[in-house]
């Protein structure tokens, strides 16, 4: 929306009621995320809700960990990490979807259907594709990120290693060994902490002494905290941080102080429902619905319907097959340093 110059002052003949304010345009960059970001946010939101419904209906097996409430974190970072190495964790659907926009491939992987990203052997947590790797092992990504970052530094390829972790992962000793090496060797590693205040069912204050900022400071590592969910502002703040990691090989820890709206996995939420509702009151989806009105609701409904159709199509596919031989899937033929 382009601002107009103020009109000359004049005294009206009679007061008139002000017209209702128009809903901001979906393309207004200074006010809301751009159209592409909105589509990415809503794709992740409705993909995660779809999984929970499918589990409740008995259409999925195993388990899953959704990122409901945290979708803006990977969406904010996706363009800043284009072409880099990204290491995810057990709550990684949003990380994958923000980078690849591939709900059908991910759902096929979770369901073990044809077209699955990793032939159906990885499931919800263990995904490998084009410089992206997720596993369910707490803290595993940081030592890997340091090794990958060291290789990137030595080859001078200009890439970085970004590792997503939660606040509960800071109870793992491997995290501190990795931070120590990253600082000593000055490798291009970005640690992204999705600090949602609860580790499965344990509040952070009951399982963490001190703070993540203090722990980063102990190793002399740069620390930045992000407390809001407005994507343009987040990108503006983190662009120079990522640039320093990339160009100066200065490791950094970025903490997103965020909220988990869904259960830990399928249905194990021990929190008071009133607390969850309080968190929902500040959710990005509720805010954008109020700010953008009908255009946002229409986009929201369209993406939800598209994902329902994706689910029906994927569910009708034959089971995935994997023999361990034959032509490689080009999606998994990334150039990991070796």
């Amino acid at each position: 929306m382009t601002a107009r110059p103020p009109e000359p002052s004049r005294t009206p003949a009679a007061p008139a009621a002000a017209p209702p304010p128009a809903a901001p345009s979906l393309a207004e960059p200074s006010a809301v995320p751009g159209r592409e970001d909105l589509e990415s946010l809503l794709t992740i939101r409705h993909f995660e809700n779809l999984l929970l419904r499918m589990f409740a209906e008995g259409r999925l097996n195993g388990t899953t960990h959704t990122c409901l409430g945290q979708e803006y974190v990977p969406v904010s970072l996706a363009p800043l990490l284009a072409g880099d190495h990204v290491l995810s964790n057990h709550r990684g659907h949003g990380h994958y979807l923000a980078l690849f926009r591939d709900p059908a491939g991910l759902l096929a992987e979770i369901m073990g259907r044809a077209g699955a990203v990793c032939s159906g052997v990885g499931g919800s947590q263990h995904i490998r594709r084009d410089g992206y790797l997720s596993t369910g092992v707490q803290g595993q990504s940081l030592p890997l990120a340091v090794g990958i970052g060291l290789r990137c530094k030595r080859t001078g390829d200009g890439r970085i290693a970004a590792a997503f972790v939660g606040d509960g992962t800071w109870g793992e000793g491997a995290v501190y060994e990795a931070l120590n090496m990253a600082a000593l060797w000055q490798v291009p590693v970005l640690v992204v902490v999705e600090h949602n205040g609860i580790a499965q069912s344990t509040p952070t204050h009951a399982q963490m002494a001190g703070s993540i900022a203090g722990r980063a400071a102990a190793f002399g590592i740069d620390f930045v905290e992000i407390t809001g969910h407005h994507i343009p502002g987040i990108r503006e703040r983190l662009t120079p941080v990522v640039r320093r990691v990339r160009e100066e090989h200065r490791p950094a820890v970025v903490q997103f102080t965020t909220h988990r709206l869904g259960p830990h996995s399928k249905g194990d939420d021990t929190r008071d429902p009133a607390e969850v509702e309080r968190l929902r009151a500040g959710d990005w989806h509720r805010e954008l619905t109020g700010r953008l009105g009908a255009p946002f609701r229409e986009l929201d409904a369209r993406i939800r319907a598209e994902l329902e159709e994706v689910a029906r199509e994927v569910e009708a596919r034959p089971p995935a097959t994997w023999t361990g031989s034959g032509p490689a899937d080009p999606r998994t033929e990334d150039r990991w340093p070796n």
Side-chain angles (χ1 to χ4, degrees):
M1 184 182 297
T2 304
R4 294 180 296 180
E7 297 180 357
S9 60
R10 54 183 180 269
T11 303
S25 164
L26 293 186
E28 185 177 359
S30 61
V32 297
R35 180 82 178 205
E36 186 173 333
D37 289 332
L38 289 172
E39 291 180 349
S40 187
L41 284 168
L42 291 170
T43 296
I44 299 170
R45 171 59 57 96
H46 292 305
F47 184 90
E48 300 288 58
N49 280 326
L50 174 66
L51 288 184
L52 293 179
R53 289 199 305 274
M54 293 179 75
F55 269 110
E57 294 164 2
R59 297 160 65 190
L60 292 178
N61 299 312
T63 191
T64 192
H65 300 75
T66 67
C67 65
L68 294 167
Q70 303 174 190
E71 299 92 340
Y72 65 92
V73 177
V75 173
S76 297
L77 284 167
L80 303 183
L81 301 177
D84 290 316
H85 299 284
V86 174
L87 296 111
S88 181
N89 56 12
H90 65 289
R91 201 176 299 281
H93 303 153
H95 307 154
Y96 177 87
L97 292 172
L99 290 170
F100 299 110
R101 309 293 180 91
D102 179 30
L106 181 56
L107 184 59
E109 181 63 35
I110 294 170
M111 299 189 75
R113 301 290 182 174
V117 182
C118 298
S119 301
V121 299
S124 174
Q125 297 184 1
H126 302 90
I127 306 291
R128 176 175 176 260
R129 174 179 179 178
D130 301 334
Y132 174 90
L133 178 69
S134 67
T135 82
V137 181
Q138 291 292 325
Q140 60 79 33
S141 60
L142 265 71
L144 286 175
V146 172
I148 293 168
L150 181 61
R151 177 65 173 176
C152 292
K153 178 179 179 179
R154 288 178 173 176
T155 60
D157 65 7
R159 301 170 81 182
I160 73 171
F164 286 86
V165 298
D167 49 293
T169 304
W170 291 75
E172 293 289 336
V175 169
Y176 304 100
E177 295 179 24
L179 291 176
N180 184 58
M181 290 186 290
L184 286 173
W185 297 344
Q186 288 292 284
V187 294
V189 169
L190 179 72
V191 182
V192 182
V193 187
E194 293 170 304
H195 192 327
N196 57 30
I198 188 167
Q200 188 162 342
S201 59
T202 306
T204 301
H205 66 79
Q207 54 90 9
M208 178 185 289
S211 65
I212 293 173
R215 297 178 185 206
F219 294 97
I221 292 178
D222 294 345
F223 175 85
V224 176
E225 181 180 12
I226 302 294
T227 57
H229 56 239
H230 297 287
I231 290 175
I234 292 171
R235 285 207 188 117
E236 182 178 2
R237 187 170 181 198
L238 292 186
T239 294
V241 176
V242 176
R243 184 183 303 118
R244 285 195 300 272
V245 173
R246 189 183 310 281
E247 297 177 359
E248 301 178 24
H249 300 156
R250 285 170 53 179
V253 172
V254 174
Q255 173 181 309
F256 283 82
T257 300
T258 185
H259 304 295
R260 192 192 82 202
L261 299 183
H264 169 68
S265 53
K266 295 197 302 292
D268 51 347
D269 200 338
T270 59
R271 296 172 295 180
D272 188 320
E275 177 188 355
V276 178
E277 183 53 38
R278 178 182 60 80
L279 299 178
R280 289 187 181 278
D283 181 36
W284 61 265
H285 188 279
R286 184 171 296 187
E287 178 188 326
L288 289 177
T289 300
R291 293 178 66 191
L292 299 179
F296 182 79
R297 289 194 295 272
E298 291 168 5
L299 181 64
D300 185 74
R302 175 175 67 79
I303 290 178
R304 184 171 61 250
E306 288 174 355
L307 284 171
E308 293 286 354
E309 179 58 33
V310 166
R312 287 189 289 270
E313 189 273 324
V314 170
E315 202 166 12
R317 295 179 187 179
T321 58
W322 182 74
T323 62
S325 61
D329 188 327
R331 292 177 298 185
T332 63
E333 286 301 293
D334 49 70
R335 295 180 175 83
W336 286 95
N338 52 41

